[in-house]
Amino acid sequence: MADPSTPQDMLTALAQTANALDYAAHMALISSAVQVFGVPGFDVIGYDDWARQCRHEFTHKLLKRVTYTGVRVVTSTSRHILFKTIERTEGTDGTVNDHGLEVLMSKEADDKWRITQERILSPDEMNFDTRSTS
């Protein structure tokens, strides 16, 4: 897989690797320094937590499909791109979860683009973003 250097390429790669249950390829898109904010019950989730959750979901085939809709770049430099999107996860048990994400992808020291930060947006933040871009 080519190095995903745009938000849309990154989201496509994340969805493809998750949907294929390809743990190694999926985790190659995630920085070892990643931080995830906004998960209920947790201050911050790091790489080890993300890896453990993915390994569990992929091994037990709990994930039916992941999709992303709408990409809005908030700001970008030559090494960082901050954008917002909506992630939908569908479980094999029929559960469907939609949530807004603010994602920071960064070009790391090895010149590979990876997710370095995610923040789960509150429904109010997503509603505001949806209204303000309509």
Side-chain angles (χ1 to χ4, degrees):
M1 173 183 331
D3 183 32
S5 60
T6 69
Q8 188 60 59
D9 289 347
M10 178 61 78
L11 293 174
T12 297
L14 287 168
Q16 286 175 343
T17 57
N19 294 336
L21 304 176
D22 187 340
Y23 175 80
H26 189 75
M27 294 310 298
L29 300 169
I30 311 303
S31 172
S32 62
V34 71
Q35 293 186 307
V36 181
F37 300 94
V39 177
F42 296 90
D43 288 333
V44 65
I45 289 178
Y47 180 87
D48 290 341
D49 301 310
W50 189 320
R52 192 171 21 262
Q53 182 69 26
C54 284
R55 183 170 300 283
H56 174 75
E57 290 176 354
F58 292 10
T59 300
H60 293 92
K61 297 182 166 99
L62 301 176
L63 192 62
K64 179 180 177 184
R65 181 176 35 221
V66 175
T67 56
Y68 296 94
T69 56
V71 175
R72 187 167 66 84
V73 173
V74 175
T75 189
S76 66
T77 68
S78 62
R79 298 198 70 85
H80 302 284
I81 304 171
L82 182 68
F83 62 94
K84 293 183 179 182
T85 188
I86 297 172
E87 178 183 65
R88 170 172 279 194
T89 56
E90 300 175 44
T92 53
D93 65 356
T95 59
V96 176
N97 291 303
D98 292 325
H99 55 266
L101 294 177
E102 182 178 72
V103 180
L104 178 64
M105 57 184 276
S106 303
K107 194 169 203 177
E108 296 195 306
D110 63 358
D111 282 335
K112 299 285 185 196
W113 286 93
R114 292 188 182 88
I115 301 298
T116 52
Q117 185 173 301
E118 276 191 4
R119 185 171 66 90
I120 297 172
L121 301 174
S122 70
D124 287 346
E125 280 183 285
M126 269 322 295
N127 289 338
F128 176 78
D129 284 344
T130 303
R131 284 193 313 267
S132 66
T133 60
S134 308

